[in-house]
Amino acid sequence: MTTPVEVVVVGSGIAGLVAALHAADAGSRVTLVTKDVLEHANTRYAQGGIAGVLFDDDRLVDHLHDTMTAGAGLNDPLAVRVLVSEGPARIRELVALGVAFDRDESGAFVKGLEAAHSYPRILHAGGDATGTAIEQALVARVRTSGVAVVEHAFLVDLVVEARVTGVELLVDGERRMLGADAIVLATGGAGQLYAHTTNPTVATGDGIAAALRAGAAVADLEFMQFHPTALPMSPAFPAAFLVSEAVRGEGAVLVDDDGRRFALDDHPDGELAPRDVLARSITRRMAEQDGRPVRLDATGLRASATETASFLAHRFPTIDAAVRDRGLDWAREPIAVTPAAHYLMGGVVTDLWGRTTVPGLYAVGEVARTGVHGANRLASNSLLEGAVFGARAGDVVAADVRDDAPWPSAARRPRAPGPAAPSASVPSASVPAFSRDALQRLMWERAGLLRDAEGLRHAASVLAAWRAAPRAPVTVAELEDENLLAVATALVGAASARTASVGAHFRTDDAPARTVTTRQEVPAC
């Protein structure tokens, strides 16, 4: 009898859950470890929906072109082709697992339109609770699948010899080693690098940092997407809350202090321009009005305030509740919104099956750099990426181990630029004491939505000083801080090396980024 291949999946969002289920179906013995409880992952916060070509009057080539255009043409065309062509099957798989995407009176899926899509191909569930619906369905399936689950398990490090042989975990305060034939990283992104983020507190770049320490190639870390519209933080509400661009897809507009709709100044698609363009447009307008937020005006979505209130509560129940919890009535008055760090397009470099440059190590979801997003992610492609590439990795991992196939060469893969050298212009005496808050403020101010060489040099110098200070991390929070420092250093290095503006990476010391409005030539689907 063949000994089952031992696979450890780290992370319990859509990518990790799908990878675990597919690996188990392929005959692997799977253990899924997660930092919090199984249900707590970035996936559950996804509001807008999942994109896919499921309607007769939509075309794969259009979804492909939309993805390439949003990504400023820096996408990997082959990865995009995989994403859009395999996406419909993965969505149907989610439906079979019980995800109740919203349907109209005839039973057909309700279509949603979001920024930079040429067709309303977004499916949503519970109005604006798509991520929660997907997470719940996948978690329920995992709990009955035979996949072993270890909760409250923090990834301390990867165990690497000639290949990965396991993970070191911190489980309820105790160190534990877990051996494996293969490891699948599905740890999500690193939104906690920034003072303003839509990401949950668990998004501290743990998988990217562990991969860096293991010698894996990373790329495109400079491409951090800032979502244009989040409810501002306040003492009563200390976390930014995402207002899905599906609200703008339904017709809400952005206005400044004068009540003027300004988004058309920067892009012909106005509020439905690519996220990087719109986030910068908002940032510029805020600067022109002394830092005050702009406002999202949804008051005109229906003929009367009463009808608008009913529509918003039905179509966007999660957002509606959050808005009203803050004492706001967005059916009658525009609400303040600002950009916030949202999604990391870069990460651990993989091939089209999730294989990294370290033998036996896979990466899927936001932790991975598959190449599908290029310089800027197309709305609602994130859940799709997790499902498509999570399934691909899960499908091949057992065969890869059993066949002992040659691992893809690292020589052909891009590596992130090294960290920028510390600047002598920042004397050690002026470096603030390290804290997570200080790190987040530094990254927001110097390596955030708008960047320049001077700010990046300052950030690199401060980060280098912080990393040089002796520390002995023990707790989860302390280990997270080390991971954030490592990822911040790599991100600043990558942003320093890319001197031209493109997509989500905008250098104010470069000529304005060119807005890509023409379709990119890509292989046919």
Side-chain angles (χ1 to χ4, degrees):
M1 182 175 178
T2 305
T3 302
V5 171
E6 299 282 353
V7 177
V8 171
V9 177
V10 187
S12 60
I14 185 172
L17 295 170
V18 169
L21 289 171
H22 276 251
D25 287 346
S28 297
R29 185 153 52 204
V30 181
T31 300
L32 190 150
V33 302
T34 185
K35 189 175 180 176
D36 202 310
V37 296
L38 191 58
E39 295 83 359
H40 191 191
N42 215 4
T43 291
R44 77 174 195 173
Y45 296 93
Q47 297 172 352
I50 186 168
V53 177
L54 294 166
F55 302 99
D56 291 342
D57 55 343
D58 194 11
R59 301 189 305 166
L60 293 175
V61 70
D62 291 333
H63 189 189
L64 186 149
H65 280 306
D66 292 346
T67 300
M68 293 288 293
T69 299
L74 296 188
N75 323 61
D76 178 344
L78 295 179
V80 177
R81 185 169 64 179
V82 166
L83 179 79
V84 303
S85 61
E86 296 184 12
R90 298 286 74 81
I91 294 173
R92 293 186 184 99
E93 183 177 287
L94 292 173
V95 173
L97 288 172
V99 179
F101 292 110
D102 295 337
R103 297 175 184 265
D104 61 21
E105 295 81 0
S106 71
F109 290 126
V110 174
K111 300 177 181 180
L113 178 66
E114 294 186 13
H117 283 272
S118 60
Y119 180 93
R121 63 174 63 92
I122 316 302
L123 302 189
H124 47 79
D128 59 357
T130 310
T132 296
I134 290 173
E135 184 78 8
Q136 289 174 342
L138 288 172
V139 164
R141 179 68 184 95
V142 163
R143 290 201 184 279
T144 62
S145 67
V147 171
V149 175
V150 183
E151 297 178 311
H152 303 291
F154 177 80
L155 174 65
V156 175
D157 237 333
L158 298 166
V159 181
V160 182
E161 295 171 7
R163 56 181 291 123
V164 293
T165 59
V167 290
E168 182 182 1
L169 305 173
L170 185 62
V171 184
D172 294 326
E174 303 226 352
R175 296 283 180 121
R176 182 187 302 181
M177 301 292 294
L178 189 59
D181 299 306
I183 305 294
V184 181
L185 291 176
T187 51
Q192 290 298 320
L193 284 170
Y194 291 94
H196 306 279
T197 180
T198 63
N199 287 190
T201 56
V202 294
T204 52
D206 306 323
I208 296 172
L212 283 166
R213 290 190 292 269
V218 299
D220 294 350
L221 294 182
E222 67 272 33
F223 296 130
M224 171 66 78
Q225 184 177 81
F226 291 81
H227 198 285
T229 53
L231 298 178
M233 298 185 300
S234 69
F237 298 94
F241 185 87
L242 177 70
V243 179
S244 170
E245 67 192 50
V247 177
R248 287 175 273 124
E250 293 288 352
V253 298
L254 291 162
V255 297
D256 59 18
D257 276 356
D258 298 324
R260 188 178 73 86
R261 184 181 173 190
F262 61 89
L264 289 165
D265 296 347
D266 294 304
H267 195 283
D269 291 340
E271 287 80 8
L272 293 181
R275 287 177 174 177
D276 63 305
V277 176
L278 189 59
R280 288 193 297 272
S281 180
I282 291 171
T283 299
R284 282 192 288 268
R285 194 67 195 99
M286 287 175 62
E288 291 165 358
Q289 55 189 38
D290 299 324
R292 292 184 299 279
V294 302
R295 289 171 293 156
L296 181 68
D297 187 353
T299 61
L301 296 188
R302 291 297 182 268
S304 70
T306 300
E307 291 174 303
T308 299
S310 177
F311 170 73
L312 291 171
H314 174 74
R315 175 65 178 87
F316 303 107
T318 308
I319 303 170
D320 186 68
V323 169
R324 295 187 181 278
D325 282 348
R326 289 159 171 78
L328 306 172
D329 185 351
W330 64 327
R332 289 172 171 82
E333 295 289 341
I335 57 174
V337 290
T338 66
H342 183 58
Y343 191 91
L344 182 60
M345 274 77 74
V348 185
V349 176
T350 72
D351 69 3
L352 298 180
W353 299 93
R355 305 179 186 100
T356 74
T357 57
V358 174
L361 179 65
Y362 300 74
V364 293
E366 191 174 355
V367 70
R369 185 273 187 191
T370 59
V372 295
H373 303 307
N376 189 33
R377 176 173 67 82
L378 181 67
S380 289
N381 269 357
S382 55
L383 292 174
L384 189 70
E385 180 197 18
V388 167
F389 290 94
R392 285 189 138 234
D395 288 342
V396 301
V397 60
D400 282 353
V401 172
R402 288 198 182 105
D403 296 346
D404 196 24
W407 199 254
S409 170
R412 298 191 302 272
R413 311 289 182 78
R415 288 185 175 273
S423 170
S425 64
V426 183
S428 59
S430 67
V431 173
F434 173 78
S435 68
R436 189 176 300 190
D437 285 345
L439 170 64
Q440 291 169 335
R441 287 195 304 272
L442 176 75
M443 293 296 289
W444 182 262
E445 294 167 2
R446 305 288 185 160
L449 191 61
L450 305 177
R451 305 160 178 179
D452 62 25
E454 180 182 358
L456 291 168
R457 280 195 298 269
H458 176 88
S461 180
V462 173
L463 291 168
W466 281 341
R467 296 190 78 188
R471 284 181 303 277
V474 175
T475 67
V476 168
E478 291 167 345
L479 291 164
E480 287 176 334
D481 286 345
E482 296 304 306
N483 290 338
L484 287 168
L485 274 170
V487 177
T489 301
L491 188 157
V492 168
S496 299
R498 189 181 289 276
T499 57
S501 294
V502 61
H505 172 68
F506 190 83
R507 296 280 299 249
T508 59
D509 50 359
D510 177 47
R514 180 173 58 91
T515 299
V516 178
T517 57
T518 57
R519 294 181 179 273
Q520 306 297 310
E521 290 301 321
V522 291
C525 292

